[in-house]
Structure formats: C-alpha cells, structure tokens
Amino acid sequence: MNVCVIGLGYIGLPTALMMASHGVQVDAVDYNPEVIHQLQNNQVTFEEKGLDELFQKAVAAGINFRSDYPSAPMYVVAVPTPYEEDTKKIDASYVVKAVEQVLEVCPKNAIVVVESTVSPGTIDRDVRPLVKDHEKQVQLVHAPERIIPGNMLYELIHNSRTIGSDDRAVGEKVRDVYATFCQGEIILTDIRTAEMTKVVENTFRDINIAFANELTRICRKGGMDVYEVIRIANHHPRVNILQPGPGVGGHCISVDPWFLVGDYPEEAQLIHQARKVNSGMPAFVLERIQQIMAEKGIQDTSRIGLYGLSYKEDVDDTRESPTLQLLDVMKEKGVAAPAVYDPMVARDLVDRQYHDYSRFLNDVDMVVVLVGHSQLRNDLASLEGKVVLDTRKVCEEGKAYHL
Ligand code: SAJ
C-alpha cells in the first residue's frame, strides 16, 4: 500500500515514520520547505522518546519527504486545526486546503483520512462539500489521533483507535493500513461519532484537571493540603482525582473543549466552566508568587525565575503552555519580566530566557517550578538556598511552597 501523509508535525511525522517502518510505502509531505529540508538532511524536527531510532528505520525503509503532493490511493491529513479566539469555533482552513490540493492530484476513488482533531460536524460542513459530486469520487474517513506527547510511539502501537467512515468497506481498508503497526483494538464507526468521541476524550480530561485545580483553590483558602486530600480521596475505589498544576497547556486539551463550547454554548455549561477554571490558574500562580514574595521580603519580580516553558514535563512543545499564559498575565499586570529557563527548549521564545541553568539560578532569589522535567527531578539539590514555589509537586515535602 502507498500512503501519503500530509502535515509532518507532532502527529503526522510519527505516524508517517511508523507506517514506513512497517512496510507501507510512504510519501511524507509538508508545505514548509524548512521542515522537508531538515528531514531530508536526516534530522528530526522535535524531541520525542524513540523518535530518532524510528526515523532511521523509516529512512532505511525508503520514506520519501517532499513538499509537493503525489498521486496516492490513500492520504492521511494531519494538519493543525486551531480555533478562532473570539467565536471559539474551529478553523478548518488547513484541512480544507489540504483536501483541495489532494483533489488536484489524486486518482479516482482515493481515500482521504482526516487525523486532525475536528469538532463534531466539521467534516460534513467544511470537507464533504469539496468532494461531493467531484469526478474523483474521493472517500472520506476520520481517524482521530490519540497519542500522548512524551509517550507517543508506545501509544501509537498500543492504543485503541477509532475509524469513522461512511462506508464500512472503506473503513476496513483504512483499518488494515493502521493495523500494520497498531496492536490496539481498532473500532469502526461513522464519521460524526469519531469526531465527537475524540473531542469528548480531551474534554473529559480537561474537566477532571479543572476539578483538581478548583480543589487546590478551595484548600488554599481553607488552609488544607490539597495533595494530602487528593492522596487520601484516591484510596476510595471509585475516586481518581488528577493532579493540580499551573494551568492546562498543549494543543489538545486546552483547545478541544472550546469546540463544544463554541458550537453548543447553551448546553456546554460544565465544559465551559472547567475551561475557565483551568485558564484562570496562571493568574492564581501569580497571586501565590506575590504572597510568597511578600512573606519572604522579595521586592522585585525580575529576581523571580520561572523553571519550564513547555506545556508539560520532558517535551519541547510550548503551545498554549501555562508558562506562556503566566507571562501574559504578568505583562498585563505590568509586573517586571522574570527570568525563564527550560532545558528542553533551545530556541529563543521569550524575554529574559536563559539557556544556562547555573546562570539562571545565579540571577534569581525565587524559583517557580512550572514543569517537572526530569532534568530538575534528577537535580533537586540545585534548588538548595532558593525560595521555591513548586506547582508540580516535584520537590520534597517541606522544601518548597506549593499551590
Ligand atoms: N495536566 C495537569 N494535571 C494532570 C494531567 C495533566 O495539570 O493531572 C496538564 C499538563 O501538565 C498539560 C495539560 O494538562 O499542561 C495536558 O497534558 P496531558 O498530558 O494531560 O495531555 P496532552 O495534551 O499531552 O495529550 C492529550 C491526551 N488526551 C487524553 O489523555 C484524553 C492524548 O491522548 C491526546 O492524543 C492528545 O491530548 C491530543 O493530541 O488530542
């Protein structure tokens, strides 16, 4: 089978590599010539456990990186689906553009699989009109990705998958391609159910994180230790509270629930409230910073150091990261810019970003741990002598303030 994967980002690249190293003939396309150039020169474009090795296998198996769209019997579209800030509705323009370009080159009866997360109804509304009555008679499928950054390759192989199609035989063909590497159960359904299921999964997690974050604020006000409360409550056989944190980042959990809020504003009350709780966390972190500064007699926020810029531990992805959200809140409030350090993020993204951990530590009196990277977990002694606000519970009990 020959498959063309379109969009070589966090999802498209691992998927293309996985297929290529399991006997599928893969053309991997990205419209960004930089990305293609880098991949053609044997360099992966982001950090992920095991990605380098998988890349080498895929190259040895003959994966073809290119910027133009080839003719292929099956396409997998893994391009971004952002939402519009004001309306909270999905912006499907990248998906639409990709499908339009596919239609220009594909053979008759080609299958187009959309992997990008889309809000329920998007394929019918924005994509189906492009292919309906088109001479190429393209078959649409929705196979939303489910892999977690930090453990993507394991999850690509072991997670269950959902494949939504209009026609079962087409769904089965797509299933056979994914089954070359996916050992999890592959469930066939219709397109709209597949769209909804994906958004619901991420919304479920957002609501559960919001619950942990709300408990944190309640416990702070009531003088209780939220971590102890959660630890004990989780001993109940039907209770499993997640971990509080400085907010929810990443391009998935902090985005997908908005699709439901945007399309169903009347119904999606709890979902909307959870989003508000989570996006209010960076402001709560700033309140905590200011309380601790007052307690410790630290006057100047430029002597504060934010540890971590990525949206979670051991990844270099900074999209919607709680640290970026916190920096925005600080800017809005006119607070002097803090120092920022992240061992995973090599590119310059924000003011006062350090690339040397010792220099960062030298220039600050207080460290706010916003991401629990292994680098820090393995070197907690480096925080000795600093005032620490630990928003991720990585420090030893009694050695740091927490949320
Ligand atoms: N977080 C907390 N407390 C927790 C768990 C997470 O504050 O207990 C924060 C993280 O620090 C991070 C954010 O939430 O800022 C999201 O991280 P995550 O690890 O929960 O999830 P993502 O965004 O990396 O990946 C999610 C996954 N979805 C679910 O677990 C339902 C993944 O399976 C999806 O494939 C991915 O979204 C996606 O692309 O949609």
Side-chain angles (χ1 to χ4, degrees):
M1 183 62 153
N2 173 211
V3 174
C4 169
V5 178
I6 300 165
L8 302 179
Y10 289 101
I11 301 303
L13 182 62
T15 306
L17 300 177
M18 198 56 96
M19 285 182 177
S21 54
H22 286 80
V24 180
Q25 196 188 324
V26 177
D27 280 300
V29 176
D30 199 288
Y31 73 164
N32 183 346
E34 288 278 307
V35 168
I36 295 301
H37 182 75
Q38 218 174 313
L39 294 168
Q40 284 173 340
N41 282 293
N42 253 331
Q43 277 176 299
V44 294
T45 37
F46 60 93
E47 297 255 347
E48 177 65 35
K49 193 169 53 194
L51 194 62
D52 279 317
E53 293 83 342
L54 183 66
F55 181 82
Q56 295 311 336
K57 273 195 206 156
V59 169
I63 189 169
N64 187 18
F65 297 110
R66 56 198 286 173
S67 322
D68 60 319
Y69 286 52
S71 171
M74 178 173 150
Y75 295 82
V76 171
V77 177
V79 296
T81 42
Y83 69 92
E84 287 160 7
E85 263 316 316
D86 42 345
T87 60
K88 309 294 186 206
K89 289 187 189 256
I90 193 168
D91 167 6
S93 58
Y94 293 98
V95 176
V96 166
K97 184 100 199 106
V99 175
E100 282 171 350
Q101 284 177 292
V102 164
L103 285 168
E104 283 171 23
V105 296
C106 70
K108 212 168 168 190
N109 294 318
I111 298 174
V112 176
V113 182
V114 177
E115 270 219 25
S116 314
T117 303
V118 293
S119 59
T122 301
I123 293 192
D124 278 346
R125 191 183 55 240
D126 296 323
V127 186
R128 200 178 292 284
L130 306 173
V131 303
K132 193 166 180 274
D133 300 329
H134 193 285
E135 50 168 3
K136 297 274 174 77
Q137 296 179 13
V138 156
Q139 304 280 351
L140 291 177
V141 171
H142 183 43
E145 58 83 12
R146 271 178 165 171
I147 51 178
I148 196 143
N151 202 22
M152 282 181 156
L153 304 186
Y154 176 88
E155 291 207 348
L156 256 180
I157 294 173
H158 297 280
N159 283 5
S160 153
R161 292 195 79 101
T162 317
I163 294 186
S165 62
D166 301 328
D167 179 301
R168 202 174 163 91
V170 172
E172 282 167 0
K173 265 194 199 160
V174 173
R175 180 189 60 195
D176 292 346
V177 172
Y178 283 103
T180 57
F181 63 84
C182 174
Q183 296 172 13
E185 188 183 353
I186 302 182
I187 300 166
L188 301 185
T189 182
D190 61 86
I191 289 182
R192 200 176 266 241
T193 305
E195 290 175 320
M196 182 63 171
T197 309
K198 167 63 203 237
V199 172
V200 161
E201 290 160 8
N202 280 350
T203 302
F204 172 87
R205 193 151 169 89
D206 196 42
I207 291 174
N208 282 283
I209 298 169
F211 181 59
N213 285 336
E214 188 162 290
L215 289 180
T216 302
R217 300 181 76 142
I218 293 172
C219 289
R220 171 63 38 210
K221 202 169 207 171
M224 293 166 273
D225 179 345
V226 70
Y227 294 103
E228 190 62 356
V229 170
I230 292 176
R231 190 180 71 79
I232 296 169
N234 280 351
H235 276 76
H236 185 288
R238 283 174 298 283
V239 174
N240 184 15
I241 304 170
L242 295 181
Q243 287 302 300
V248 170
H251 186 60
C252 315
I253 295 191
S254 66
V255 174
D256 299 355
W258 283 125
F259 297 159
L260 295 176
V261 175
D263 287 344
Y264 301 94
E266 285 297 313
E267 294 77 12
Q269 300 288 330
L270 172 66
I271 298 170
H272 194 178
Q273 200 52 41
R275 267 293 69 234
K276 284 192 195 159
V277 169
N278 286 337
S279 53
M281 286 312 283
F284 179 68
V285 173
L286 180 57
E287 273 173 41
R288 286 293 290 142
I289 294 174
Q290 289 170 329
Q291 283 162 4
I292 297 163
M293 284 174 74
E295 203 177 309
K296 288 287 176 184
I298 301 170
Q299 310 279 337
D300 183 0
T301 39
S302 68
R303 298 288 304 169
I304 305 293
L306 307 185
Y307 178 93
L309 247 181
S310 65
Y311 80 95
K312 66 173 189 179
E313 67 284 358
D314 298 332
V315 301
D316 63 356
D317 186 346
T318 57
R319 290 177 298 173
E320 328 283 333
S321 93
T323 308
L324 293 174
Q325 296 176 38
L326 172 61
L327 287 167
D328 282 346
V329 175
M330 292 176 98
K331 209 174 252 172
E332 265 165 38
K333 304 235 163 173
V335 172
V340 182
Y341 173 75
D342 190 312
M344 301 290 293
V345 181
R347 58 205 185 280
D348 268 313
L349 273 186
V350 296
D351 290 346
R352 300 205 55 220
Q353 185 178 342
Y354 287 65
H355 296 284
D356 182 299
Y357 188 44
S358 314
R359 283 192 45 223
F360 164 78
L361 287 175
N362 270 337
D363 286 358
V364 302
D365 300 319
M366 173 170 164
V367 176
V368 184
V369 178
L370 291 159
V371 185
H373 289 309
S374 303
Q375 183 265 343
L376 182 66
R377 287 178 192 267
N378 295 332
D379 185 19
L380 286 173
S382 60
L383 295 176
E384 223 46 71
K386 302 287 176 199
V387 175
V388 178
L389 168 58
D390 176 10
T391 70
R392 296 286 190 175
K393 194 91 167 82
V394 298
C395 297
E396 258 173 72
E397 199 56 53
K399 294 225 165 165
Y401 289 88
H402 60 70
L403 284 176

